Structures are given as structure tokens and as C-alpha cells.
Amino acid sequence: MSTLLLNLDFGEPPPKKALEGNAKHRKFVKKRRFLERRGFLNKKNQHPSKVPKLHPDPPKKGEAPRVDGTWKVSHLPKKKTAASSSGPEQPLDRKAAVPWLTPAPSQKAGSVVAKVDLLGEFQSALPKTRSHPARSQKKGPQKNPTQKNAPQNSTQSHLENKCSGASQKTPGKMVAIDCEMVGTGPKGHVSSLARCSIVNYHGDVLYDEYVLPPCHIVDYRTRWSGIRKQHMVNATPFKVARSQILKILAGKIVVGHAIHNDFKALQYSHPKSLTRDTSHIPPLNRKAECPENATVSLKCLTKKLLNRDIQVGKSGHSSVEDAQATMELYKLVEVEWEQHLAQNPPKD
């Protein structure tokens, strides 16, 4: 049996290409950094993990390597001596480390003032936040007097409104009414509603309808009422017309001349505090140079105070025209009469 002899050499020399490659790389790095120091090339920004460890100059004592290849001098801790322990060196080192958190160094390093109060520093760094509550506090007392004076002003204005009727009421709550009647019952002596007209404060017509009385008409009274037989053909029944009229008058100040006759024809009683009868307003009679307690006709007052003729001719009266004239007469003495009523309110 033959034996095989193997000549094995286990010492493998390093590959030349790898050594040559490493040498070329080191040479390239040296040349590049030389050019960077000379200013011919910009420094290459590299990730700290990829920075090569090779450096042409060995680090000195107290130096730490930087990313760009230079060395940063770090302050070595000095030996504690009697002078250094009492000096401001320890707070200065802290300020250099965190300059925006630490206060200025105090002369007494060992005192309580030298300690860093972070909360106090942040509060002192934000002075504007303290001024906002102060402003709100200043605004507070300014609002309180107005709030306290608000009810006083309201009561004063309420008293002024009572004294002046023009400011107490609004035109939307004032109407003037005039009704025309026909004769019913025995010999036509009973006055029944045959036409009703309502105008607002500005004289605009709100309601104007012919009304059919529930009883037989004996006398149309055309010379004064202007009502004729043909007007009753399509007239509104009394009950329907009455409900429509009362809805308009509800809660409003009603102006009329000898208005009690109109309410009697409507079979209705309006509150006296909301009723204004131009036939019983003394200031109106004084303006017309008539006795204060006398009952002056609407035609006479309109002629003297408004210089206008109404109820003229044989065709009869117009309830719309009479209602508008009544409202205009009332407006002549509105302020004066409402002041009198505020001081002497009528009893219902």
C-alpha cells in the first residue's frame, strides 16, 4: 500500500492587491486633506460613523477629534484649590455648557443664590404673559360700572319715556278709527255699523270694509254716512267684520273723534289708557282757539288747524278721510297730551 505525501503550507501571505489598495487609499486621503488645509478643496461633509480614523497629525493632550478632521480643545478639569473653590470658575463652566438656562454667576458661589432656578428664569423670560391678566383686570372694573349703571340708565330712560308719549310708543302701535252708521230698529233710531275704516300712524289704510248689520236697515243716512243700498250687496257680515277689526285694535293706542260712538257700534270697550279722543283734548281746543271743555266737531278742528275741508257735499262722509284727519290732529298735540296722561293716567 502506497502512501501519499502532501506538502501543505498553512502560512498564507497577505494579498498584494489588498495591501496596495490600502496604501493607495491612505495616500489619497493624505493628499485630499492637504489640499483642504491649503484651501484648494472644500471640506467634505461626512457622517461621523464614516469618518476615517487616519489623521496626519497626532492628537495633543486635551484635544478631541472633530468631524472635519480638526481637533477641538476640551477644558480639562483643574485641580481644586482654595482659590478656585471660592472663585466663580464653577458657575462659568456651567454657563458655557448651557448658557440659556443658567443665570449670571454670583460672587458667592457657595450661597443659595448661585443655584439655578429654572422656573424663575423661564417666568422672567416671558414678561408679556404677565401683562395679559393685568389688562384683563383693568378692563374688569371698567365694565362693572357700566353694568351697575345700566339699570339706572334704563330706569331714567323709562321715566323719560313716561313723560314723553312720543318716545314711549312706536308708530306701529297707534291707529285711528272712524265708523259710519245706518239706522235700524224702530223708526231707524238705533245706530248700526255699516262701514269701518282704520289707518296707521302715517295715514295708510289698514282696514276699510262695508259691514252688513244683523238687523234690517230702516234709514241709510246717506247724507251723513254716504251709505247706499248697493253698498250692502257684497258687504261683510257684522260678526266677521267685528272679529277682524278687534284683532287690529288689540293692544294698540286707538285715536278717534267722539270714539265712544264707534265703540258702541262695534259693541266693544277699549281700555281707556289706550284710547285717545280728539273731541276731549284741551290742548287741541286751545290751538283752535276754542273753549277747552267744549266738544268741537271734527270738521271745524280740521278747518282751523289743518286748513282742510272735509265732510263737504251731499255724497256723505268718508270714513277713511275722517280717520286720517283725526290722526293728523292728534299728532299736533301728541307730546303735550302724552305728558299730561303720564302724570295723570286715566282710570279704566
mmCIF file of all heavy atoms in Angstrom, residues 164-213:
data_model
loop_
_atom_site.group_PDB
_atom_site.id
_atom_site.type_symbol
_atom_site.label_atom_id
_atom_site.label_comp_id
_atom_site.label_asym_id
_atom_site.label_seq_id
_atom_site.Cartn_x
_atom_site.Cartn_y
_atom_site.Cartn_z
ATOM 1 N N SER A 164 -92.722 111.622 28.070
ATOM 2 C CA SER A 164 -92.959 111.977 26.667
ATOM 3 C C SER A 164 -93.615 110.812 25.977
ATOM 4 O O SER A 164 -93.052 109.736 25.873
ATOM 5 C CB SER A 164 -91.649 112.336 25.980
ATOM 6 O OG SER A 164 -90.790 111.240 26.002
ATOM 7 N N GLY A 165 -94.813 111.037 25.489
ATOM 8 C CA GLY A 165 -95.540 109.960 24.829
ATOM 9 C C GLY A 165 -94.944 109.586 23.502
ATOM 10 O O GLY A 165 -95.076 108.449 23.059
ATOM 11 N N ALA A 166 -94.272 110.545 22.842
ATOM 12 C CA ALA A 166 -93.706 110.247 21.529
ATOM 13 C C ALA A 166 -92.639 109.191 21.626
ATOM 14 O O ALA A 166 -92.495 108.353 20.743
ATOM 15 C CB ALA A 166 -93.137 111.516 20.896
ATOM 16 N N SER A 167 -91.808 109.217 22.687
ATOM 17 C CA SER A 167 -90.755 108.216 22.839
ATOM 18 C C SER A 167 -91.271 106.948 23.494
ATOM 19 O O SER A 167 -90.635 105.910 23.393
ATOM 20 C CB SER A 167 -89.618 108.803 23.683
ATOM 21 O OG SER A 167 -90.108 109.198 24.950
ATOM 22 N N GLN A 168 -92.409 107.023 24.199
ATOM 23 C CA GLN A 168 -92.919 105.843 24.887
ATOM 24 C C GLN A 168 -93.516 104.857 23.904
ATOM 25 O O GLN A 168 -93.386 103.653 24.068
ATOM 26 C CB GLN A 168 -93.965 106.251 25.927
ATOM 27 C CG GLN A 168 -94.530 105.091 26.732
ATOM 28 C CD GLN A 168 -95.590 105.541 27.700
ATOM 29 O OE1 GLN A 168 -95.960 106.706 27.669
ATOM 30 N NE2 GLN A 168 -96.063 104.656 28.524
ATOM 31 N N LYS A 169 -94.198 105.328 22.895
ATOM 32 C CA LYS A 169 -94.892 104.444 21.967
ATOM 33 C C LYS A 169 -94.217 104.500 20.609
ATOM 34 O O LYS A 169 -93.515 105.440 20.276
ATOM 35 C CB LYS A 169 -96.353 104.844 21.843
ATOM 36 C CG LYS A 169 -96.532 106.285 21.395
ATOM 37 C CD LYS A 169 -97.962 106.703 21.509
ATOM 38 C CE LYS A 169 -98.105 108.187 21.231
ATOM 39 N NZ LYS A 169 -97.428 109.000 22.197
ATOM 40 N N THR A 170 -94.491 103.505 19.845
ATOM 41 C CA THR A 170 -93.976 103.455 18.483
ATOM 42 C C THR A 170 -95.144 103.659 17.528
ATOM 43 O O THR A 170 -96.287 103.300 17.843
ATOM 44 C CB THR A 170 -93.308 102.104 18.214
ATOM 45 O OG1 THR A 170 -94.253 101.061 18.502
ATOM 46 C CG2 THR A 170 -92.094 101.919 19.105
ATOM 47 N N PRO A 171 -94.893 104.215 16.337
ATOM 48 C CA PRO A 171 -95.996 104.433 15.388
ATOM 49 C C PRO A 171 -96.727 103.147 15.013
ATOM 50 O O PRO A 171 -97.908 103.197 14.680
ATOM 51 C CB PRO A 171 -95.290 105.047 14.175
ATOM 52 C CG PRO A 171 -94.061 105.676 14.734
ATOM 53 C CD PRO A 171 -93.645 104.806 15.870
ATOM 54 N N GLY A 172 -96.035 102.017 15.087
ATOM 55 C CA GLY A 172 -96.691 100.766 14.720
ATOM 56 C C GLY A 172 -97.776 100.338 15.679
ATOM 57 O O GLY A 172 -98.573 99.462 15.360
ATOM 58 N N LYS A 173 -97.817 100.966 16.885
ATOM 59 C CA LYS A 173 -98.821 100.596 17.871
ATOM 60 C C LYS A 173 -99.916 101.649 18.004
ATOM 61 O O LYS A 173 -100.641 101.667 18.988
ATOM 62 C CB LYS A 173 -98.155 100.386 19.238
ATOM 63 C CG LYS A 173 -97.277 99.146 19.284
ATOM 64 C CD LYS A 173 -96.812 98.865 20.687
ATOM 65 C CE LYS A 173 -96.010 97.570 20.740
ATOM 66 N NZ LYS A 173 -95.570 97.250 22.123
ATOM 67 N N MET A 174 -100.041 102.517 17.012
ATOM 68 C CA MET A 174 -101.075 103.544 17.028
ATOM 69 C C MET A 174 -101.906 103.452 15.761
ATOM 70 O O MET A 174 -101.361 103.331 14.653
ATOM 71 C CB MET A 174 -100.464 104.943 17.139
ATOM 72 C CG MET A 174 -99.777 105.219 18.450
ATOM 73 S SD MET A 174 -99.512 106.980 18.688
ATOM 74 C CE MET A 174 -101.187 107.538 18.883
ATOM 75 N N VAL A 175 -103.229 103.521 15.925
ATOM 76 C CA VAL A 175 -104.154 103.514 14.795
ATOM 77 C C VAL A 175 -105.244 104.537 15.066
ATOM 78 O O VAL A 175 -105.493 104.925 16.217
ATOM 79 C CB VAL A 175 -104.783 102.117 14.576
ATOM 80 C CG1 VAL A 175 -103.722 101.097 14.154
ATOM 81 C CG2 VAL A 175 -105.527 101.643 15.824
ATOM 82 N N ALA A 176 -105.869 104.975 13.989
ATOM 83 C CA ALA A 176 -107.029 105.860 14.077
ATOM 84 C C ALA A 176 -108.204 105.169 13.414
ATOM 85 O O ALA A 176 -108.050 104.515 12.369
ATOM 86 C CB ALA A 176 -106.741 107.204 13.415
ATOM 87 N N ILE A 177 -109.386 105.317 14.013
ATOM 88 C CA ILE A 177 -110.575 104.612 13.535
ATOM 89 C C ILE A 177 -111.718 105.602 13.326
ATOM 90 O O ILE A 177 -111.826 106.610 14.041
ATOM 91 C CB ILE A 177 -110.997 103.502 14.538
ATOM 92 C CG1 ILE A 177 -112.100 102.642 13.940
ATOM 93 C CG2 ILE A 177 -111.389 104.094 15.874
ATOM 94 C CD1 ILE A 177 -112.434 101.423 14.787
ATOM 95 N N ASP A 178 -112.553 105.295 12.321
ATOM 96 C CA ASP A 178 -113.773 106.060 12.114
ATOM 97 C C ASP A 178 -114.818 105.125 11.515
ATOM 98 O O ASP A 178 -114.496 104.319 10.619
ATOM 99 C CB ASP A 178 -113.551 107.258 11.187
ATOM 100 C CG ASP A 178 -114.773 108.151 11.104
ATOM 101 O OD1 ASP A 178 -115.000 108.925 12.062
ATOM 102 O OD2 ASP A 178 -115.508 108.059 10.100
ATOM 103 N N CYS A 179 -116.026 105.220 12.033
ATOM 104 C CA CYS A 179 -117.112 104.335 11.591
ATOM 105 C C CYS A 179 -118.298 105.172 11.071
ATOM 106 O O CYS A 179 -118.540 106.283 11.558
ATOM 107 C CB CYS A 179 -117.592 103.442 12.744
ATOM 108 S SG CYS A 179 -116.322 102.329 13.384
ATOM 109 N N GLU A 180 -118.996 104.587 10.107
ATOM 110 C CA GLU A 180 -120.231 105.187 9.585
ATOM 111 C C GLU A 180 -121.387 104.254 9.943
ATOM 112 O O GLU A 180 -121.286 103.032 9.815
ATOM 113 C CB GLU A 180 -120.149 105.376 8.067
ATOM 114 C CG GLU A 180 -118.999 106.257 7.599
ATOM 115 C CD GLU A 180 -119.110 107.688 8.102
ATOM 116 O OE1 GLU A 180 -120.231 108.111 8.463
ATOM 117 O OE2 GLU A 180 -118.085 108.391 8.145
ATOM 118 N N MET A 181 -122.496 104.861 10.387
ATOM 119 C CA MET A 181 -123.630 104.089 10.867
ATOM 120 C C MET A 181 -124.888 104.329 10.019
ATOM 121 O O MET A 181 -125.048 105.387 9.417
ATOM 122 C CB MET A 181 -123.916 104.463 12.324
ATOM 123 C CG MET A 181 -123.025 103.723 13.313
ATOM 124 S SD MET A 181 -121.320 104.351 13.321
ATOM 125 C CE MET A 181 -121.369 105.463 14.697
ATOM 126 N N VAL A 182 -125.742 103.334 10.043
ATOM 127 C CA VAL A 182 -127.077 103.426 9.431
ATOM 128 C C VAL A 182 -128.116 103.208 10.532
ATOM 129 O O VAL A 182 -127.787 102.715 11.619
ATOM 130 C CB VAL A 182 -127.255 102.404 8.299
ATOM 131 C CG1 VAL A 182 -126.322 102.729 7.134
ATOM 132 C CG2 VAL A 182 -127.010 100.984 8.793
ATOM 133 N N GLY A 183 -129.404 103.596 10.235
ATOM 134 C CA GLY A 183 -130.457 103.469 11.233
ATOM 135 C C GLY A 183 -131.177 102.138 11.132
ATOM 136 O O GLY A 183 -131.612 101.725 10.053
ATOM 137 N N THR A 184 -131.290 101.434 12.227
ATOM 138 C CA THR A 184 -132.030 100.175 12.319
ATOM 139 C C THR A 184 -132.995 100.275 13.513
ATOM 140 O O THR A 184 -132.974 101.251 14.273
ATOM 141 C CB THR A 184 -131.075 98.984 12.510
ATOM 142 O OG1 THR A 184 -130.309 99.157 13.713
ATOM 143 C CG2 THR A 184 -130.116 98.830 11.332
ATOM 144 N N GLY A 185 -133.838 99.252 13.660
ATOM 145 C CA GLY A 185 -134.778 99.227 14.781
ATOM 146 C C GLY A 185 -135.975 100.120 14.532
ATOM 147 O O GLY A 185 -136.235 100.566 13.389
ATOM 148 N N PRO A 186 -136.778 100.373 15.574
ATOM 149 C CA PRO A 186 -137.989 101.196 15.429
ATOM 150 C C PRO A 186 -137.676 102.595 14.912
ATOM 151 O O PRO A 186 -136.877 103.335 15.500
ATOM 152 C CB PRO A 186 -138.553 101.260 16.854
ATOM 153 C CG PRO A 186 -137.949 100.078 17.558
ATOM 154 C CD PRO A 186 -136.599 99.889 16.952
ATOM 155 N N LYS A 187 -138.247 102.913 13.769
ATOM 156 C CA LYS A 187 -138.095 104.223 13.103
ATOM 157 C C LYS A 187 -136.629 104.560 12.803
ATOM 158 O O LYS A 187 -136.299 105.711 12.565
ATOM 159 C CB LYS A 187 -138.721 105.321 13.951
ATOM 160 C CG LYS A 187 -140.224 105.168 14.133
ATOM 161 C CD LYS A 187 -140.786 106.324 14.946
ATOM 162 C CE LYS A 187 -142.288 106.138 15.153
ATOM 163 N NZ LYS A 187 -142.899 107.272 15.917
ATOM 164 N N GLY A 188 -135.752 103.579 12.820
ATOM 165 C CA GLY A 188 -134.347 103.791 12.462
ATOM 166 C C GLY A 188 -133.571 104.590 13.473
ATOM 167 O O GLY A 188 -132.561 105.243 13.110
ATOM 168 N N HIS A 189 -133.975 104.536 14.753
ATOM 169 C CA HIS A 189 -133.279 105.308 15.775
ATOM 170 C C HIS A 189 -132.044 104.584 16.327
ATOM 171 O O HIS A 189 -131.237 105.208 17.036
ATOM 172 C CB HIS A 189 -134.236 105.644 16.929
ATOM 173 C CG HIS A 189 -135.313 106.598 16.545
ATOM 174 N ND1 HIS A 189 -135.061 107.826 15.966
ATOM 175 C CD2 HIS A 189 -136.681 106.514 16.647
ATOM 176 C CE1 HIS A 189 -136.194 108.452 15.727
ATOM 177 N NE2 HIS A 189 -137.197 107.664 16.137
ATOM 178 N N VAL A 190 -131.877 103.311 16.021
ATOM 179 C CA VAL A 190 -130.724 102.559 16.514
ATOM 180 C C VAL A 190 -129.591 102.678 15.493
ATOM 181 O O VAL A 190 -129.784 102.372 14.302
ATOM 182 C CB VAL A 190 -131.081 101.077 16.762
ATOM 183 C CG1 VAL A 190 -129.851 100.311 17.239
ATOM 184 C CG2 VAL A 190 -132.233 100.967 17.752
ATOM 185 N N SER A 191 -128.419 103.116 15.949
ATOM 186 C CA SER A 191 -127.260 103.268 15.049
ATOM 187 C C SER A 191 -126.526 101.938 14.952
ATOM 188 O O SER A 191 -126.059 101.393 15.960
ATOM 189 C CB SER A 191 -126.310 104.352 15.566
ATOM 190 O OG SER A 191 -126.944 105.605 15.570
ATOM 191 N N SER A 192 -126.417 101.417 13.717
ATOM 192 C CA SER A 192 -125.732 100.147 13.481
ATOM 193 C C SER A 192 -124.558 100.384 12.530
ATOM 194 O O SER A 192 -124.615 101.247 11.641
ATOM 195 C CB SER A 192 -126.695 99.114 12.876
ATOM 196 O OG SER A 192 -127.750 98.832 13.774
ATOM 197 N N LEU A 193 -123.505 99.603 12.726
ATOM 198 C CA LEU A 193 -122.285 99.754 11.933
ATOM 199 C C LEU A 193 -122.532 99.365 10.480
ATOM 200 O O LEU A 193 -123.067 98.282 10.191
ATOM 201 C CB LEU A 193 -121.160 98.871 12.526
ATOM 202 C CG LEU A 193 -119.794 98.951 11.848
ATOM 203 C CD1 LEU A 193 -119.180 100.331 12.005
ATOM 204 C CD2 LEU A 193 -118.853 97.884 12.406
ATOM 205 N N ALA A 194 -122.106 100.247 9.555
ATOM 206 C CA ALA A 194 -122.253 99.967 8.131
ATOM 207 C C ALA A 194 -120.920 100.100 7.378
ATOM 208 O O ALA A 194 -120.774 99.548 6.286
ATOM 209 C CB ALA A 194 -123.287 100.903 7.511
ATOM 210 N N ARG A 195 -119.945 100.802 7.965
ATOM 211 C CA ARG A 195 -118.612 100.917 7.342
ATOM 212 C C ARG A 195 -117.607 101.248 8.434
ATOM 213 O O ARG A 195 -117.898 102.024 9.347
ATOM 214 C CB ARG A 195 -118.604 102.001 6.268
ATOM 215 C CG ARG A 195 -117.281 102.110 5.519
ATOM 216 C CD ARG A 195 -117.299 103.247 4.512
ATOM 217 N NE ARG A 195 -116.026 103.371 3.817
ATOM 218 C CZ ARG A 195 -115.743 104.344 2.942
ATOM 219 N NH1 ARG A 195 -116.653 105.276 2.651
ATOM 220 N NH2 ARG A 195 -114.572 104.378 2.346
ATOM 221 N N CYS A 196 -116.444 100.655 8.314
ATOM 222 C CA CYS A 196 -115.371 100.901 9.287
ATOM 223 C C CYS A 196 -114.057 101.074 8.529
ATOM 224 O O CYS A 196 -113.732 100.268 7.642
ATOM 225 C CB CYS A 196 -115.270 99.756 10.291
ATOM 226 S SG CYS A 196 -113.955 99.995 11.523
ATOM 227 N N SER A 197 -113.317 102.129 8.913
ATOM 228 C CA SER A 197 -112.013 102.400 8.302
ATOM 229 C C SER A 197 -110.981 102.592 9.408
ATOM 230 O O SER A 197 -111.245 103.292 10.394
ATOM 231 C CB SER A 197 -112.058 103.642 7.415
ATOM 232 O OG SER A 197 -112.983 103.462 6.363
ATOM 233 N N ILE A 198 -109.785 101.971 9.230
ATOM 234 C CA ILE A 198 -108.684 102.066 10.195
ATOM 235 C C ILE A 198 -107.425 102.453 9.428
ATOM 236 O O ILE A 198 -107.111 101.839 8.396
ATOM 237 C CB ILE A 198 -108.467 100.744 10.954
ATOM 238 C CG1 ILE A 198 -109.750 100.330 11.679
ATOM 239 C CG2 ILE A 198 -107.320 100.860 11.951
ATOM 240 C CD1 ILE A 198 -109.670 98.958 12.329
ATOM 241 N N VAL A 199 -106.727 103.480 9.921
ATOM 242 C CA VAL A 199 -105.462 103.907 9.308
ATOM 243 C C VAL A 199 -104.368 103.838 10.368
ATOM 244 O O VAL A 199 -104.636 103.882 11.575
ATOM 245 C CB VAL A 199 -105.574 105.339 8.734
ATOM 246 C CG1 VAL A 199 -106.628 105.398 7.644
ATOM 247 C CG2 VAL A 199 -105.865 106.352 9.836
ATOM 248 N N ASN A 200 -103.119 103.754 9.921
ATOM 249 C CA ASN A 200 -101.991 103.700 10.852
ATOM 250 C C ASN A 200 -101.508 105.105 11.189
ATOM 251 O O ASN A 200 -102.124 106.106 10.822
ATOM 252 C CB ASN A 200 -100.857 102.840 10.284
ATOM 253 C CG ASN A 200 -100.307 103.389 8.982
ATOM 254 O OD1 ASN A 200 -100.624 104.514 8.562
ATOM 255 N ND2 ASN A 200 -99.474 102.613 8.318
ATOM 256 N N TYR A 201 -100.369 105.174 11.861
ATOM 257 C CA TYR A 201 -99.837 106.457 12.335
ATOM 258 C C TYR A 201 -99.527 107.407 11.183
ATOM 259 O O TYR A 201 -99.600 108.625 11.333
ATOM 260 C CB TYR A 201 -98.579 106.193 13.167
ATOM 261 C CG TYR A 201 -97.990 107.412 13.827
ATOM 262 C CD1 TYR A 201 -98.507 107.894 15.030
ATOM 263 C CD2 TYR A 201 -96.906 108.073 13.265
ATOM 264 C CE1 TYR A 201 -97.957 109.012 15.644
ATOM 265 C CE2 TYR A 201 -96.355 109.188 13.876
ATOM 266 C CZ TYR A 201 -96.882 109.657 15.065
ATOM 267 O OH TYR A 201 -96.346 110.763 15.668
ATOM 268 N N HIS A 202 -99.168 106.857 10.030
ATOM 269 C CA HIS A 202 -98.815 107.672 8.863
ATOM 270 C C HIS A 202 -99.998 107.915 7.930
ATOM 271 O O HIS A 202 -99.817 108.512 6.867
ATOM 272 C CB HIS A 202 -97.684 107.004 8.090
ATOM 273 C CG HIS A 202 -96.474 106.734 8.935
ATOM 274 N ND1 HIS A 202 -95.640 107.728 9.393
ATOM 275 C CD2 HIS A 202 -95.975 105.574 9.439
ATOM 276 C CE1 HIS A 202 -94.672 107.206 10.120
ATOM 277 N NE2 HIS A 202 -94.849 105.901 10.170
ATOM 278 N N GLY A 203 -101.195 107.420 8.294
ATOM 279 C CA GLY A 203 -102.378 107.651 7.480
ATOM 280 C C GLY A 203 -102.639 106.587 6.438
ATOM 281 O O GLY A 203 -103.581 106.741 5.631
ATOM 282 N N ASP A 204 -101.854 105.518 6.419
ATOM 283 C CA ASP A 204 -102.078 104.446 5.452
ATOM 284 C C ASP A 204 -103.267 103.593 5.897
ATOM 285 O O ASP A 204 -103.435 103.300 7.088
ATOM 286 C CB ASP A 204 -100.835 103.566 5.325
ATOM 287 C CG ASP A 204 -99.620 104.370 4.882
ATOM 288 O OD1 ASP A 204 -99.802 105.316 4.096
ATOM 289 O OD2 ASP A 204 -98.496 104.066 5.340
ATOM 290 N N VAL A 205 -104.068 103.169 4.947
ATOM 291 C CA VAL A 205 -105.289 102.430 5.244
ATOM 292 C C VAL A 205 -104.946 100.989 5.612
ATOM 293 O O VAL A 205 -104.292 100.275 4.844
ATOM 294 C CB VAL A 205 -106.259 102.466 4.053
ATOM 295 C CG1 VAL A 205 -107.519 101.654 4.363
ATOM 296 C CG2 VAL A 205 -106.634 103.896 3.700
ATOM 297 N N LEU A 206 -105.382 100.568 6.795
ATOM 298 C CA LEU A 206 -105.207 99.188 7.236
ATOM 299 C C LEU A 206 -106.474 98.354 7.031
ATOM 300 O O LEU A 206 -106.385 97.136 6.795
ATOM 301 C CB LEU A 206 -104.819 99.158 8.728
ATOM 302 C CG LEU A 206 -103.533 99.880 9.126
ATOM 303 C CD1 LEU A 206 -103.330 99.804 10.641
ATOM 304 C CD2 LEU A 206 -102.333 99.296 8.404
ATOM 305 N N TYR A 207 -107.610 99.009 7.140
ATOM 306 C CA TYR A 207 -108.883 98.283 7.013
ATOM 307 C C TYR A 207 -109.947 99.271 6.533
ATOM 308 O O TYR A 207 -110.066 100.394 7.064
ATOM 309 C CB TYR A 207 -109.281 97.687 8.362
ATOM 310 C CG TYR A 207 -110.511 96.807 8.323
ATOM 311 C CD1 TYR A 207 -110.419 95.451 8.037
ATOM 312 C CD2 TYR A 207 -111.780 97.332 8.581
ATOM 313 C CE1 TYR A 207 -111.547 94.642 8.008
ATOM 314 C CE2 TYR A 207 -112.905 96.534 8.540
ATOM 315 C CZ TYR A 207 -112.783 95.192 8.259
ATOM 316 O OH TYR A 207 -113.897 94.384 8.224
ATOM 317 N N ASP A 208 -110.723 98.846 5.548
ATOM 318 C CA ASP A 208 -111.836 99.657 5.040
ATOM 319 C C ASP A 208 -112.849 98.715 4.386
ATOM 320 O O ASP A 208 -112.625 98.244 3.264
ATOM 321 C CB ASP A 208 -111.329 100.698 4.043
ATOM 322 C CG ASP A 208 -112.436 101.611 3.539
ATOM 323 O OD1 ASP A 208 -113.437 101.775 4.278
ATOM 324 O OD2 ASP A 208 -112.307 102.154 2.433
ATOM 325 N N GLU A 209 -113.924 98.450 5.101
ATOM 326 C CA GLU A 209 -114.927 97.497 4.624
ATOM 327 C C GLU A 209 -116.332 98.004 4.948
ATOM 328 O O GLU A 209 -116.562 98.667 5.978
ATOM 329 C CB GLU A 209 -114.732 96.119 5.289
ATOM 330 C CG GLU A 209 -113.449 95.403 4.909
ATOM 331 C CD GLU A 209 -113.438 94.918 3.469
ATOM 332 O OE1 GLU A 209 -114.540 94.777 2.894
ATOM 333 O OE2 GLU A 209 -112.340 94.711 2.916
ATOM 334 N N TYR A 210 -117.254 97.670 4.028
ATOM 335 C CA TYR A 210 -118.672 97.872 4.312
ATOM 336 C C TYR A 210 -119.161 96.687 5.126
ATOM 337 O O TYR A 210 -118.797 95.542 4.862
ATOM 338 C CB TYR A 210 -119.477 98.000 3.017
ATOM 339 C CG TYR A 210 -119.220 99.298 2.278
ATOM 340 C CD1 TYR A 210 -118.367 99.339 1.179
ATOM 341 C CD2 TYR A 210 -119.851 100.477 2.675
ATOM 342 C CE1 TYR A 210 -118.136 100.526 0.493
ATOM 343 C CE2 TYR A 210 -119.627 101.671 1.993
ATOM 344 C CZ TYR A 210 -118.769 101.688 0.917
ATOM 345 O OH TYR A 210 -118.547 102.878 0.253
ATOM 346 N N VAL A 211 -120.011 96.990 6.117
ATOM 347 C CA VAL A 211 -120.452 95.973 7.068
ATOM 348 C C VAL A 211 -121.982 95.853 6.990
ATOM 349 O O VAL A 211 -122.693 96.875 7.021
ATOM 350 C CB VAL A 211 -120.019 96.337 8.509
ATOM 351 C CG1 VAL A 211 -120.455 95.248 9.493
ATOM 352 C CG2 VAL A 211 -118.520 96.539 8.568
ATOM 353 N N LEU A 212 -122.449 94.630 6.889
ATOM 354 C CA LEU A 212 -123.892 94.362 6.839
ATOM 355 C C LEU A 212 -124.420 94.189 8.261
ATOM 356 O O LEU A 212 -124.016 93.261 8.962
ATOM 357 C CB LEU A 212 -124.165 93.103 6.019
ATOM 358 C CG LEU A 212 -125.636 92.703 5.865
ATOM 359 C CD1 LEU A 212 -126.407 93.773 5.096
ATOM 360 C CD2 LEU A 212 -125.758 91.347 5.162
ATOM 361 N N PRO A 213 -125.303 95.081 8.708
ATOM 362 C CA PRO A 213 -125.826 94.970 10.075
ATOM 363 C C PRO A 213 -126.669 93.695 10.248
ATOM 364 O O PRO A 213 -127.252 93.177 9.287
ATOM 365 C CB PRO A 213 -126.688 96.226 10.245
ATOM 366 C CG PRO A 213 -126.255 97.155 9.168
ATOM 367 C CD PRO A 213 -125.808 96.289 8.033
#
